[in-house]
């Protein structure tokens, strides 16, 4: 029997895991995420890393860019859409280092970034992650 080649999960596979995690969130949260763009990229751009004071691109697994829902106003028209960025290579690196499942890691990072969208505290994010687990 021929051995099947295996490869690191690509951006599409990570996006599928992230979308599945979004579907497991409580409806009260999902209802407010329809306009949030989900992007999976290899690494954060250098400008983003510089702005955050991060030297090693492997240190950033995800990022929310936008304004939390509670800070939005009607004068926000014409702004870029809110985005959740997941960074594939740092996620894979952390996956290997921690030994947790990739699904659990992607869910953890995604929920953290969703939490920023809602302006949640760390305790609230933990409860949300439990609901999405």
């Amino acid at each position: 029997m021929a051995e099947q080649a295996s490869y690191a999960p690509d951006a599409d596979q990570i996006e599928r895991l992230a979308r599945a995690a979004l579907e497991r969130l409580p409806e009260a949260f999902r209802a407010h995420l329809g306009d949030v763009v989900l992007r999976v990229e290899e690494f954060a751009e250098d400008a983003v890393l510089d702005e955050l004071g991060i030297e090693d691109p492997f240190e950033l697994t995800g990022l929310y860019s936008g304004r939390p829902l509670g800070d939005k106003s009607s004068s926000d028209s014409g702004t870029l859409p809110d985005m959740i960025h997941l960074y594939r290579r740092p996620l894979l690196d952390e996956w290997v280092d921690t030994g947790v499942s990739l699904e659990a890691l992607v869910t953890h990072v995604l929920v953290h970034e969703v939490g920023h969208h809602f302006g949640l505290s760390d305790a609230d994010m933990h409860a949300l992650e439990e609901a999405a687990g």
Side-chain angles (χ1 to χ4, degrees), residues 66 76 78-83:
D76 286 342
T79 62
L80 290 173
D82 295 338
M83 289 189 194

Side-chain angles (χ1 to χ4, degrees), residues 6-14 17 42 88-89 92 95 102:
S6 57
Y7 301 95
D10 64 15
D12 288 340
Q13 290 169 300
I14 291 181
L17 290 174
E42 290 299 294
R88 187 183 84 88
R89 294 284 307 281
L92 295 180
W95 174 45
L102 185 58

Side-chain angles (χ1 to χ4, degrees), residues 32-109:
H32 298 285
L33 291 169
D35 293 334
V36 176
V37 175
L38 176 64
R39 294 189 59 184
V40 178
E41 301 160 325
E42 290 299 294
F43 290 101
E45 295 176 358
D46 288 340
V48 169
L49 295 170
D50 290 344
E51 182 180 325
L52 296 172
I54 298 173
E55 292 185 25
D56 182 355
F58 281 95
E59 291 181 13
L60 187 62
T61 54
L63 180 71
Y64 170 73
S65 58
R67 293 181 60 188
L69 279 181
D71 294 348
K72 293 192 180 291
S73 74
S74 59
S75 64
D76 286 342
S77 68
T79 62
L80 290 173
D82 295 338
M83 289 189 194
I84 293 175
H85 305 264
L86 298 177
Y87 301 115
R88 187 183 84 88
R89 294 284 307 281
L91 282 166
L92 295 180
D93 202 53
E94 188 170 327
W95 174 45
V96 169
D97 285 348
T98 62
V100 301
S101 74
L102 185 58
E103 180 179 31
L105 179 60
V106 168
T107 298
H108 172 76
V109 173

Side-chain angles (χ1 to χ4, degrees), residues 29 64 67-71 112-122 124-125:
F29 288 93
Y64 170 73
R67 293 181 60 188
L69 279 181
D71 294 348
H112 187 84
E113 303 315 326
V114 165
H116 287 302
H117 175 67
F118 287 99
L120 299 179
S121 69
D122 285 342
D124 291 337
M125 286 185 214

